[in-house]
Amino acid sequence: MTIGLPDAQGRLRTYEPRTEPLALSAGAPFTSRTVFSAAHVVADPYADTTPDSPAAVDWDATLAFRRHLWSHGLGVAEAMDTAQRGMGLDWAGAAELIRRSAAEAKAVGGRIACGVGTDQIASGTLAEVRAAYEEQLALVEESGAQAILMASRALAAAARSPEDYLEVYGHLLRQCAEPVILHWLGPMFDPALEGYWGSSDLDAATDTFLEVIAAHPDKVDGIKVSLLDAGREVALRRRLPEGVRCYTGDDFHYPELIAGDEQGFSHALLGIFDPLGPLAAQAVRVLDTGDTAGFRALLDPTVELSRHLFQAPTRFYKTGVVFLAWLAGHQNHFAMVGGLQSARSLPHLARAYELADGLGLFPDPKLAEDRMRTLLHLYGATP
């Protein structure tokens, strides 16, 4: 049985779907790497989604997906970019997500770290930015989750020099109850973060970032780097103080960065591990045995799918992530908060289906095929 998938010119090409998924199962906890999957949220498809309406989340399906990730040994990075923070998920929704997910993590013994930002304000003075960060930090710490200090649009707008970043982050780190993860999100993920750390020169920005860490190494568990530049990440990784981890956020080069070299390796905090969860977990368990070649053999073939989902404009990768979750049966609809399901074209989604199916990612290939056919029919893309 074949299916006709459209290309960018509207021509249908013939694809023969798999009939069997890749054999993947849960296993022992990881021993060589700490690995988080940033997780998406499942929208309530019946909620009012008119512009400026509050985000409406299907909490049962959202928490079920997190249990899926935990069942394979992955940590959950909650209320991050993948959960549409700043792109459909408002602070009220994010706060509820943090509370619910942290409670669920405690109930099942799952590892969780949650995003701390300033998205309850659109802009403000440095003092207002600090206060917004503090409000979110208090909520995350009260929930029992580890905090991830995310890059702030409001801080990027308010800061006038690298010293402003040093002051704000220093203030926050001094009051953190436990070591946090610092997140450097590049402008390809959010254009409003251009010039973060006080400079558009990445070498200068890196120096400021490292200065923040060096001043408070006991308060920094690690850094999450999302610049899509493997060489820069490796160079930064080698300059970190002893005991501070690097969590790769590079969805283009993650296999080589996690595998590492003779001077070190990266742990992982990745949006692409949302659709790749079981396969990524199996690959890390292979790496735990010291079999780097086996790890790369499993994970390298997934890069084409990741690069496709994260192609420019990169910030819309969430659409592909949620689309694959629908095809895989993790949710019963393809709707997103903020209506973001419309952010990618049908040919883009068709290629995502083809690549994911080729990897054997769908637990029920027939279900995925049927749902793909439904979408094609809705778009009128039928022979």
Side-chain angles (χ1 to χ4, degrees), residues 146-236:
Q146 183 178 18
I148 304 171
L149 294 187
M150 300 193 301
S152 160
R153 293 175 180 172
L155 179 55
R160 294 292 175 265
S161 68
E163 287 69 31
D164 288 338
Y165 288 89
L166 293 170
E167 191 278 326
V168 169
Y169 276 90
H171 178 84
L172 294 170
L173 289 172
R174 282 190 292 272
Q175 63 185 283
C176 289
E178 300 291 340
V180 305
I181 298 172
L182 297 180
H183 187 193
W184 185 357
L185 190 69
M188 67 288 293
F189 288 92
D190 187 343
L193 300 177
E194 178 66 44
Y196 211 73
W197 304 113
S199 179
S200 293
D201 181 321
L202 290 179
D203 290 334
T206 296
D207 288 342
T208 302
F209 187 40
L210 287 167
E211 190 173 346
V212 169
I213 299 164
H216 308 277
D218 59 320
K219 291 299 186 75
V220 181
D221 163 63
I223 62 169
K224 195 246 187 192
V225 188
S226 300
L227 298 176
L228 303 183
D229 184 333
R232 185 169 292 280
E233 178 176 321
V234 170
L236 175 56

Side-chain angles (χ1 to χ4, degrees), residues 234-294:
V234 170
L236 175 56
R237 185 174 77 196
R238 291 174 179 170
R239 295 175 64 188
L240 291 174
E242 183 75 23
V244 176
R245 313 182 205 202
C246 180
Y247 293 92
T248 187
D250 189 329
D251 301 279
F252 285 3
H253 307 99
Y254 51 94
E256 65 197 73
L257 291 164
I258 297 169
D261 56 30
E262 66 282 353
Q263 297 185 54
F265 57 83
S266 293
H267 299 270
L269 197 165
L270 288 159
I272 191 56
F273 281 6
D274 180 301
L276 293 183
L279 176 55
Q282 183 163 310
V284 174
R285 289 190 180 94
V286 170
L287 185 61
D288 287 345
T289 69
D291 184 1
T292 302

Side-chain angles (χ1 to χ4, degrees), residues 104-118:
E104 194 72 15
K106 185 177 181 180
V108 304
R111 182 166 186 167
I112 189 168
C114 298
V116 171
T118 64

Side-chain angles (χ1 to χ4, degrees), residues 87 188-189 191 309-318 343-344:
M87 288 187 70
M188 67 288 293
F189 288 92
L309 296 181
F310 285 78
Q311 69 182 225
T314 300
R315 62 189 181 278
F316 295 119
Y317 76 88
K318 298 96 165 171
R344 292 293 201 188

